């Protein structure tokens, strides 16, 4: 915790997603586009096909602009953002991979320079020279993926690096190869999809049919490579990581299951238009394909980022920048003792460093809805038990009195009226809300740690005694501290759960 905290209102997750999603799309486009252009240029020149050459020239304008402007700007943007939102993790990545980054930047400079020359050279260079430049553009764009892929995959599966600290162990980690081949397939697929979009606007005729068929071929080959490698990638992730994610964060895992359907849909559309009816491809259909392709790829990236929780670098650093190796020191000396920059408001500082990198008070992953209408003691208990909650959170490593300070800070900002008044609820509905806030954070109905069965056949008295003994029911389970009205509602709701009426 050697850095001050940047208190931006949007929520780190949102900010990162906005810029990273854009960058990831653009950078894969740029690589695939490079290959598409040189290969197509060669085919066109061999056949003396000037129409096709014109088509590629038109495409190159977009690809080059995208690489130069959007790719470079968002790439630098990512550095700004990660440096601000997780300086500790950024520092770790730089320390371990400084030569990797330097290599990647060198490749990127060559990529940029050759992209400019390629675009400039259409009318001013001999065919052979122009194609050589095109190949240099593609190869160096792809090489930058070769390098950066080692660092991105390292964050999810550092493999032997955790034991050896060796550059190459971290670089060629368990998901390196599947990810590299898969991303190469994505590059090809996205390039094909974009070319389809442009081809869909050509006036109807033989030439359009030819370009649509050809570009759909790129999409299909890219999709097949990607689909096979996605399975390979999935198998390369340590079973324990997937297991844990399935229990506490089922949504991203399901998203990857749904994405299989999405991929099949894209494949079907590509076959329909590319093979069966290339003349019929309209711009809206091509745009739909493009959107589906991006959504599909977005699902994969979301999945990859999500299953890494609670870590930013698996097994090495938590999402809030705390190194696992320092966990004992945090517990012994306390959290505050580790902070180099303090504002004087301990509760605020602790909240920022321990929670705020993943949560906001009332925006992204908001804590107000989680705590409004509850009480200070409950909030403190939840902080101490953060690692037990659904969602895969890091353990709170501070001293118990520091958890109290965060609880104070949060409680001051919550709605302090009783739960029934906050939400205007009565009876069983009030109980359902109480369950969601006070129990469901750990016992998700129908999923992780569901305790519904324990309530079967219990009377209201039994359930009341259970709530009295809540703090003794499990290590880390909070005492029940809700008011009388809320408690009556909760008991009614639990009775109903026990009867299996509402599960
Ligand atoms: C590394 C990121 C991370 C950190 C740090 C973190 N959380 Fe979380 N927290 C999550 C995620 C992810 C979830 C699941 C949220 C979801 O599914 O929308 C979650 C869920 C929660 C929930 C449950 C919300 C609900 O109603 O179900 C609470 C309460 C919570 N966190 C409080 C805290 C507090 C207090 C801290 C600081 C001591 C903290 N978190 C630190 C990531 C984090
Ligand atoms: C911070 C997390 C947390 C919260 C919140 C929480 N529990 Fe628990 N609960 C646990 C843990 C941990 C255990 C013990 C391990 C286990 O059985 O899974 C447990 C166990 C239980 C058990 C099983 C006890 C047994 O002997 O079989 C029941 C029933 C239960 N909780 C009900 C509740 C109810 C009702 C609420 C809300 C008022 C609640 N819990 C809130 C963490 C929590």
């Amino acid at each position: 915790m050697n850095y001050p905290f940047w208190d931006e209102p949007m929520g780190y997750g949102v900010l990162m997603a906005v810029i990273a999603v854009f960058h990831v799309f653009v950078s894969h486009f740029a690589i695939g586009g490079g290959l598409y252009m040189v290969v197509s240029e060669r085919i066109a020149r061999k056949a003396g096909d000037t129409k096709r050459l014109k088509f590629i020239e038109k495409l190159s304008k977009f690809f080059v602009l995208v690489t130069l402007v959007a790719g470079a700007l968002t790439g630098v943007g990512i550095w700004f953002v990660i440096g601000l939102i997780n300086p500790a993790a950024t520092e770790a990545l730089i320390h371990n991979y400084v030569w990797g980054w330097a290599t990647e930047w060198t490749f990127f400079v060559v990529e940029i320079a050759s992209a400019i020359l390629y675009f400039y050279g259409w009318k001013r260079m001999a065919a052979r020279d122009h194609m050589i430049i095109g190949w240099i553009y593609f190869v160096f764009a792809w090489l930058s993926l070769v390098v950066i892929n080692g660092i991105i995959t390292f964050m999810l599966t550092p493999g032997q690096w955790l034991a050896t600290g060796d550059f190459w162990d971290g670089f060629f980690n368990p998901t390196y190869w599947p990810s590299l081949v898969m991303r190469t397939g994505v590059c090809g697929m996205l390039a094909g999809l974009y070319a389809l979009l442009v081809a869909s606007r050509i006036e109807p005729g033989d030439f359009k049919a030819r370009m649509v068929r050809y570009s759909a071929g790129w999409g299909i080959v890219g999709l097949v490579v990607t689909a096979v490698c996605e399975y390979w990638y999935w198998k390369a992730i340590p079973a324990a990581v997937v297991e844990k994610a399935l229990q506490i964060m089922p949504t991203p895992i399901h998203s990857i299951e749904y994405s299989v359907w999405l991929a099949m849909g894209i494949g079907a559309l590509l076959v329909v238009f590319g093979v069966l009816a290339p003349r019929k491809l309209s711009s809206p259909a091509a745009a739909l394909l493009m959107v589906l392709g991006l959504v599909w790829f977005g699902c994969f990236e979301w999945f990859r980022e999500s299953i890494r929780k609670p870590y930013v670098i698996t097994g090495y650093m938590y999402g809030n920048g705390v190194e696992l190796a320092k966990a004992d020191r945090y517990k012994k000396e306390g959290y505050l003792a580790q902070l180099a920059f303090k504002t004087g408001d301990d509760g605020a500082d602790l909240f920022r460093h321990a929670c705020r990198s993943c949560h906001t008070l009332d925006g992204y992953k908001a804590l107000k809805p989680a705590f409004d209408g509850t009480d200070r003691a409950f909030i403190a208990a939840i902080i101490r038990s953060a690692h037990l909650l659904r969602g895969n959170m890091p353990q709170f490593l501070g001293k118990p009195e520091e958890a109290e300070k965060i609880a104070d800070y949060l409680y001051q900002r919550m709605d302090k009226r009783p739960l029934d008044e906050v939400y205007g609820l009565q009876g069983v509905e009030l109980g359902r809300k109480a369950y969601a806030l006070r129990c469901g954070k750990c016992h998700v109905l129908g999923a992780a740690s569901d305790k519904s069965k324990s309530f079967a056949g219990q009377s209201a008295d039994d359930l009341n005694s259970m709530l009295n003994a809540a703090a003794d029911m499990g290590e880390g389970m909070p005492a029940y501290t809700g008011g009388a009205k809320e408690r009556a509602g909760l008991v009614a709701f639990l009775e109903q759960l026990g009867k299996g009426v509402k599960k």
Side-chain angles (χ1 to χ4, degrees), residues 174-175 177-179 181-182 227-237:
T175 51
W177 293 108
S179 168
V181 186
M182 178 180 155
V228 172
C229 292
E230 193 179 11
Y231 184 73
W232 177 20
Y233 179 90
W234 170 259
K235 289 286 152 198
I237 302 172

Side-chain angles (χ1 to χ4, degrees), residues 309 354-355 358-359 365 367 370-371 383 389-391 393-394 441:
K309 289 204 173 82
C355 320
C358 303
H359 293 283
K365 285 204 196 305
L367 289 182
F371 291 133
I383 294 168
L389 268 61
R390 70 181 186 88
M393 265 193 280
K441 289 175 169 60

Side-chain angles (χ1 to χ4, degrees), residues 412-450:
Q412 279 165 29
R413 284 155 184 81
M414 297 300 147
D415 191 331
K416 295 187 193 57
R417 290 173 297 165
L419 200 60
D420 58 301
E421 281 180 37
V422 174
Y423 291 99
L425 295 170
Q426 302 292 329
V428 176
E429 287 314 309
L430 174 60
R432 187 191 304 281
K433 190 75 198 175
Y435 184 90
L437 295 189
R438 292 196 185 255
C439 317
K441 289 175 169 60
C442 295
H443 307 303
V444 186
L445 293 179
S449 189
D450 187 347

Side-chain angles (χ1 to χ4, degrees), residues 39-53:
V39 170
S40 314
E41 184 183 350
R42 184 170 162 78
I43 294 174
R45 287 201 192 274
K46 252 186 132 173
D49 187 342
T50 42
K51 254 181 150 175
R52 191 186 272 228
L53 269 181

Side-chain angles (χ1 to χ4, degrees), residues 213-246:
R213 197 174 287 137
Y214 172 74
S215 305
W218 278 77
I220 292 172
V221 173
L223 185 66
V224 170
V225 171
T226 309
V228 172
C229 292
E230 193 179 11
Y231 184 73
W232 177 20
Y233 179 90
W234 170 259
K235 289 286 152 198
I237 302 172
V241 172
V242 177
E243 184 73 20
K244 180 116 198 259
L246 260 177

